[in-house]
Amino acid sequence: MVKKIIAFLILATIVSCSSSKPAIATTRKAAAVQKPRVAATKKQTPVKPTVKSYPSTNVTTEVIQSTSKTVVTSDLINNYVLQFKDIAMGNMTKYGIPASIILAQGILESGAGRGDLAIEANNHFGIKCHNDWLGESVRHDDDSAQECFRKYPLAAESYRDHALFLVGKKRYATLFTYEKDDYKSWAKGLRAAGYATDPNYPDKLISYIERYNLHQYDCQVTGRNYKPFEKSSTVKNSSTPAKSSSNANSNDPNLYEVQQGDTLYSISKKFNVLVDDLKRKNNLSDNAISIGQRLKVK
């Protein structure tokens, strides 16, 4: 009897052990391990791109239209002048071209060094290949699609080639009959000789020369005393300066002669017209105006 009881207990123990299988626990453990992996995948989100914000400034901006449209600030133009003034004065000494004209053309033609040709080809004067060019070149849309423009290894080479270009072309010979520092005659002469087709090209050059005091570099070469344009053109001892300036074009009430301190905006307010209308009436591609320039206001 005792043996039967012992045998029964052993059999019950074996059945109990075989019924508690560890496979279920293992399966649950495996499932528990997999869950965080799925959750980790769902939590992965794309990184948002960083958006740079530029603080607003009070620096004057303008659009320069040459072989490409470039937006520049007065600070950029001043820095451009400081970078190339020594080269311009050196070329004036060697070739007889006013440093002020060289710098003004560089500003206008290259967008103060920010234009496409200046960046891609170190071409600061918009000089095209022509038949005598043996150097490298780039293609750029201008008067026609994909025109050939000269490419230089350095910007200084562009300045040198600009001087050689003017010296070597017969159509520019008249320019060298002017005084070295007569920037107004040079500005008008360049347009007359066909350097640019823009009828306002001389006014734009003169405007840059007078606004940024570029004539001082002519005087450094010639040894003459330089007087800032703003000081030399100030009306003194006049009891009615505003009246005298407005009467400068009394013969034609539709015209207004630009005075010191004038901007397109101030002129538009004076004559109750829109700035865009002034630009359209006078074929202006930007906001640059020069003292003495006559504008249609009606």
Side-chain angles (χ1 to χ4, degrees), residues 15-63:
V15 171
S16 174
C17 291
S18 62
S19 63
S20 58
K21 295 180 180 179
I24 297 175
T26 303
T27 303
R28 288 177 180 173
K29 188 176 182 181
V33 173
Q34 290 174 354
K35 284 182 180 178
R37 292 178 183 173
V38 176
T41 303
K42 290 181 180 179
K43 288 180 181 179
Q44 290 178 354
T45 56
V47 179
K48 294 182 179 179
T50 303
V51 179
K52 294 182 179 180
S53 59
Y54 298 92
S56 59
T57 63
N58 294 322
V59 178
T60 303
T61 61
E62 62 180 279
V63 177

Side-chain angles (χ1 to χ4, degrees), residues 50-98:
T50 303
V51 179
K52 294 182 179 180
S53 59
Y54 298 92
S56 59
T57 63
N58 294 322
V59 178
T60 303
T61 61
E62 62 180 279
V63 177
I64 298 179
Q65 178 70 53
S66 54
T67 51
S68 60
K69 183 178 288 187
T70 312
V71 179
V72 299
T73 64
S74 54
D75 284 346
L76 282 174
I77 293 177
N78 282 321
N79 290 336
Y80 181 87
V81 171
L82 291 176
Q83 183 178 358
F84 294 106
K85 64 182 180 64
D86 291 332
I87 295 176
M89 288 190 290
N91 283 1
M92 179 176 180
T93 301
K94 187 172 183 178
Y95 300 105
I97 305 166

Side-chain angles (χ1 to χ4, degrees), residues 99-119:
S100 60
I101 286 290
I102 296 172
L103 290 169
Q105 281 195 283
I107 293 168
L108 181 56
E109 297 289 347
S110 76
R114 297 303 180 96
D116 293 341
L117 280 177
I119 294 174

Side-chain angles (χ1 to χ4, degrees), residues 264-265 267-269 271-282 296-297:
L264 280 182
Y265 179 75
I267 295 171
S268 72
K269 290 297 182 183
F271 293 96
N272 195 26
V273 295
L274 297 175
V275 172
D276 288 341
D277 288 341
L278 282 176
K279 293 170 70 173
R280 177 178 52 79
K281 289 175 184 291
N282 296 279
K296 293 179 183 179
V297 293

Side-chain angles (χ1 to χ4, degrees), residues 228-238 241 259-261 291:
F229 188 82
E230 292 78 8
K231 292 181 181 179
S232 64
S233 62
T234 302
V235 179
K236 296 181 180 180
N237 300 324
S238 175
Q259 305 296 310
Q260 178 188 346
I291 296 175

